Amino acid sequence: SSEVLEAIENVIQGVLQSLAEKKAPVLTVANRTDWRNIEFKDSVGLQMIPRCTTKQIRSDCPQSAKRFALMLKILSMIYKMVQSNTYATKRDIYYSDTLLFGSQSVVDQIINDISCMLKIPRRSLHVLSTTKGFVAGNLSYTEEDGTKVNCTCSATVFTVPSNVQGIKNLTSHARFILIVEKDATFQRLLDDDFFNKVSPCIMITGRGIPDLNTRLLVRKLWDSFQIPIFTLMDADPHGVEIMCVYKYGSVSMSFEAHHLTVPSIKWLGLLPSDLERLNICKDALIPFTKQDENKLASIQKRPYIACQPLWRKELEIMAASKLKAEIQVLTLLSSDYLSRVYLPNKLQFGGWL
C-alpha cells in the first residue's frame, strides 16, 4: 500500500510543480489500444513494450480538461481507499457521482489508464470489478474474509470471487480445467453432471468476453495446480476472439499480461473441422455477417496466429465456408451428445489444438 500511495503522491507532486511554475499540469498515459505498442511473446502473450507511445491528458485543453479532472478525482478516491484499507467496485465509483462521470465506461477506462500510468495492478488500487463469471466442479478455497467455498459437493454454481488475489487454501483433485464460452452451455454441462462423470474437473465460464476476475481466477488455478486447461467455444470469430483473450490477453490490458494470460491453454472445440467430421448439416449452420468476416480477417493477421499453424488451418476452413456454428448445434445429433460423446472422446483421444 505504501508503494501505491507513493506513486499517487508523485503524480500530484508533478501537478503542483507545474502549477508552481505557472504551467498547465499534464498527465501522461500510455496508448493502451495501439497495436504498435504491443509485442507478442509466446511465453506471456500480448504485452506492452517498455518504450511505448504516450498521450497527454492536458488541463488547459477543452477536449481533455474534464478527463484530467476526473483522473484526479478517481486518484483521490483510490488514495483514501488504500489509506483506510477499504475497497470499492468500479460500479460503486460510478454511482458515487453519476452526473460527474457520465457513464460507467468512462470510469472503467480511467481506472485502467491510472493502473497503467502508475504501473500498479488494478486490484492493488483497491478497485474491484463486478464479477459476472461462474465456477463449478472439483474445487474448494477460502475467500479473503474467511468464507469457505466448496464447489465439489454439488452441482451448485459459485460466482467468481471479486477479490481473486485474496483467496487461499485452494484444493482440487481435478484432472483438467474446462473454460466454457457461454452460460447456457455451462449450465447444460452442470445438468448432465459432466464434471463428475468423465473425470474430476473444474469448469469456468466468463459468460462471453471474460471480466478481469474470471481471467485472474483462470491464471490463479493454473499457477496453483498446473493441470491442462481446455476451451469450449462456438465455432465462430467471436468464440475464437474470447479464447485468445484467455490465452494471449487483450490489447487494452497488455500492461498486465503477466498476471492474466495462460499461453498453455488448448482449443478443444467446437472446431470448424469438427462440423465436417460430424456431418453437421449445412442448413444448421449460420452464414457469416460482414462483421464476422472483418473480425476473422483481423484475428488471422495477429502475431500469435503465425505460431499456431493448426489454428491457422481451422480459421482458413471457417473463412472458406463463411459459415459459423454454436455449440448447441451438437444437439441435432442427440440431446446429450456434447457431454456423453463429444467431450469424452476429445479428452480421451487428444482432439485439441
Side-chain angles (χ1 to χ4, degrees):
S1 61
S2 59
E3 189 190 329
V4 180
L5 296 176
E6 192 183 329
I8 295 173
E9 284 161 10
N10 288 339
V11 171
I12 302 307
Q13 192 86 43
V15 170
L16 294 173
Q17 184 76 37
S18 298
L19 291 170
E21 293 169 6
K22 295 195 166 37
K23 291 180 187 166
V26 168
L27 296 173
T28 304
V29 298
N31 268 329
R32 290 186 297 111
T33 54
D34 191 337
W35 272 94
R36 288 169 301 181
N37 286 335
I38 311 299
E39 63 180 356
F40 170 66
K41 264 191 166 175
D42 52 11
S43 61
V44 180
L46 300 175
Q47 61 177 13
M48 193 169 269
I49 58 174
R51 287 196 177 85
C52 60
T53 59
T54 56
K55 57 185 178 186
Q56 291 193 327
I57 316 283
R58 301 189 61 86
S59 58
D60 62 345
C61 170
Q63 284 82 18
S64 62
K66 184 178 179 184
R67 195 171 187 85
F68 178 91
L70 293 180
M71 283 186 80
L72 289 192
K73 165 80 174 167
I74 292 177
L75 276 168
S76 121
M77 293 172 84
I78 290 168
Y79 193 87
K80 284 175 192 156
M81 288 192 297
V82 174
Q83 265 187 328
S84 59
N85 196 27
T86 53
Y87 288 82
T89 64
K90 294 186 297 181
R91 203 165 176 73
D92 294 334
I93 291 173
Y94 168 60
Y95 278 108
S96 70
D97 198 331
T98 53
L99 282 177
L100 178 69
F101 293 119
S103 75
Q104 181 70 62
S105 65
V106 167
V107 172
D108 296 354
Q109 284 169 16
I110 287 176
I111 288 165
N112 285 341
D113 276 341
I114 287 172
S115 174
C116 186
M117 176 177 75
L118 300 178
K119 295 186 170 51
I120 289 170
R122 192 165 77 191
R123 57 211 165 278
S124 300
L125 303 176
H126 287 225
V127 178
L128 304 173
S129 301
T130 311
T131 298
K132 63 180 181 124
F134 290 146
V135 60
N138 196 292
L139 176 68
S140 60
Y141 55 86
T142 308
E143 291 196 4
E144 193 181 34
D145 63 2
T147 307
K148 287 185 168 55
V149 176
N150 189 351
C151 312
T152 310
C153 294
S154 62
T156 310
V157 168
F158 289 86
T159 305
V160 169
S162 57
N163 191 352
V164 174
Q165 195 184 23
I167 67 173
K168 49 189 182 290
N169 305 330
L170 284 92
T171 311
S172 177
H173 302 293
R175 303 282 301 280
F176 63 91
I177 295 163
L178 183 66
I179 299 171
V180 182
E181 177 186 349
K182 283 186 182 151
D183 193 20
T185 311
F186 183 82
Q187 297 292 346
R188 179 67 214 233
L189 290 172
L190 275 179
D191 293 345
D192 291 348
D193 198 24
F194 171 75
F195 61 84
N196 283 323
K197 278 182 184 163
V198 178
S199 66
C201 74
I202 299 166
M203 294 199 319
I204 292 179
T205 179
R207 300 164 78 197
I209 295 168
D211 57 37
L212 192 71
N213 292 327
T214 305
R215 291 172 63 189
L216 282 168
L217 182 62
V218 170
R219 176 60 197 243
K220 189 159 188 121
L221 293 173
W222 164 247
D223 288 338
S224 302
F225 305 123
Q226 299 279 307
I227 52 177
I229 303 182
F230 302 109
T231 57
L232 180 63
M233 306 280 152
D234 287 340
D236 65 10
H238 190 64
V240 175
E241 173 86 279
I242 290 169
M243 175 172 56
C244 291
V245 168
Y246 283 107
K247 186 176 173 77
Y248 295 123
S250 58
V251 174
S252 63
M253 293 297 288
S254 59
F255 63 95
E256 264 208 72
H258 287 273
H259 309 288
L260 293 172
T261 59
V262 185
S264 61
I265 282 173
K266 307 289 183 208
W267 186 4
L268 187 70
L270 186 65
L271 303 177
S273 59
D274 288 340
L275 302 172
E276 207 168 284
R277 183 175 61 79
L278 297 171
N279 287 323
I280 301 289
C281 168
K282 286 217 166 145
D283 294 346
L285 305 181
I286 307 159
F288 263 22
T289 62
K290 189 71 190 149
Q291 198 178 6
D292 291 324
E293 285 182 44
N294 294 341
K295 169 74 76 185
L296 183 56
S298 140
I299 293 169
Q300 285 176 303
K301 287 183 195 137
R302 290 186 195 165
Y304 43 70
I305 297 299
C307 69
Q308 289 280 4
L310 296 175
W311 282 34
R312 199 165 65 232
K313 200 175 279 186
E314 292 293 332
L315 298 184
E316 283 164 5
I317 292 170
M318 202 189 287
S321 71
K322 292 192 177 176
L323 294 168
K324 58 184 181 176
E326 296 185 330
I327 296 160
Q328 283 82 346
V329 79
L330 296 177
T331 56
L332 295 174
L333 302 170
S334 77
S335 62
D336 59 352
Y337 190 85
L338 176 66
S339 58
R340 187 176 53 83
V341 182
Y342 182 81
L343 288 175
N345 281 350
K346 283 253 169 179
L347 291 160
Q348 188 179 346
F349 301 113
W352 58 78
L353 307 179

